[in-house]
Amino acid sequence: MAYYGSNVDQNFLWGIFQKVDRDQSGQISSKELQDALSNGTWTPFNPETVRLMVGMFDRDNSGTINFQEFTQLWKYVTDWQNTFRAFDTDGSGSIDRNELKAALQTFGYRLSDPFYSMLVKRFDRQGRGVIAFDDFIQCCVVMQTLTNAFQVHDRDRDGVIQISYEDFLGLVFSLRT
């Protein structure tokens, strides 16, 4: 799936939707979406990232994406691709630790260098020491999801929370990441 600007003609998107909807059901499954997306590495798009995106845009909880949901997903992926390109400063097609640090700092995160290294290790599915486009999306979505969950408990906004172990487990297991 190629990406274009966010002001895309609806007829153009409908044509893409129909190509992605291989079984012509009027809905795009996670598998159909995964097959259509490209991460630029000649490997399948991360199924966890696809699952996250379907979950984010599946407004009717059908487990699939209809055309209206697809148009929102298209803009989302296009925006992420533009963000990825902006932080891939060496043009390698992947994000290294320093580029990830720059991206996350721009998003407001202030974390230690060892933490950025740990993130790269966690989201580098190919073991190359860098993060591909699809894994970058997953990393950023997971960071935002965890941050949102943390902030619910950080009532005084000092970056510190105190919760019981059971509350912590409830917090972790309730997250949609």
Side-chain angles (χ1 to χ4, degrees):
M1 177 185 283
Y3 305 102
Y4 303 92
S6 58
N7 294 327
V8 179
D9 180 274
Q10 293 294 301
N11 292 328
F12 174 76
L13 281 182
W14 178 247
I16 291 173
F17 181 85
Q18 289 179 310
K19 287 178 186 167
V20 174
D21 181 19
R22 288 194 179 140
D23 65 1
Q24 302 300 303
S25 66
Q27 302 282 326
I28 295 175
S29 68
S30 292
K31 177 68 173 134
E32 289 171 324
L33 184 60
Q34 181 183 12
D35 290 346
L37 292 170
S38 170
N39 64 11
T41 64
W42 301 103
T43 59
F45 211 84
N46 183 333
E48 270 304 300
T49 305
V50 173
R51 185 187 65 77
L52 280 170
M53 292 190 306
V54 168
M56 290 169 61
F57 290 94
D58 178 19
R59 304 288 186 234
D60 60 2
N61 295 316
S62 65
T64 58
I65 301 292
N66 64 31
F67 179 66
Q68 181 181 358
E69 294 162 341
F70 177 76
T71 61
Q72 295 165 352
L73 175 78
W74 179 273
K75 181 181 182 332
Y76 181 79
V77 171
T78 301
D79 290 346
W80 272 117
Q81 186 181 46
N82 292 333
T83 300
F84 182 85
R85 285 182 178 152
F87 289 105
D88 179 18
T89 55
D90 62 3
S92 66
S94 58
I95 298 288
D96 65 24
R97 188 188 68 80
N98 291 331
E99 291 167 333
L100 180 63
K101 180 179 180 179
L104 292 179
Q105 284 181 339
T106 299
F107 302 156
Y109 295 99
R110 299 293 179 262
L111 306 164
S112 69
D113 284 343
F115 188 82
Y116 291 111
S117 296
M118 190 261 321
L119 282 176
V120 169
K121 187 174 183 177
R122 165 66 177 82
F123 291 98
D124 172 20
R125 286 185 306 136
Q126 299 173 13
R128 301 180 306 137
V130 293
I131 301 176
F133 172 60
D134 50 345
D135 300 318
F136 176 72
I137 295 172
Q138 183 185 10
C139 176
C140 294
V141 169
V142 167
M143 287 293 297
Q144 186 61 50
T145 301
L146 293 172
T147 298
N148 291 345
F150 182 90
Q151 288 176 338
V152 167
H153 297 279
D154 186 15
R155 290 175 181 82
D156 58 0
R157 300 291 182 244
D158 66 353
V160 177
I161 63 173
Q162 186 171 359
I163 60 176
S164 71
Y165 181 62
E166 187 172 336
D167 288 342
F168 169 74
L169 291 176
L171 173 71
V172 170
F173 288 123
S174 69
L175 296 178
R176 282 185 66 178
T177 61

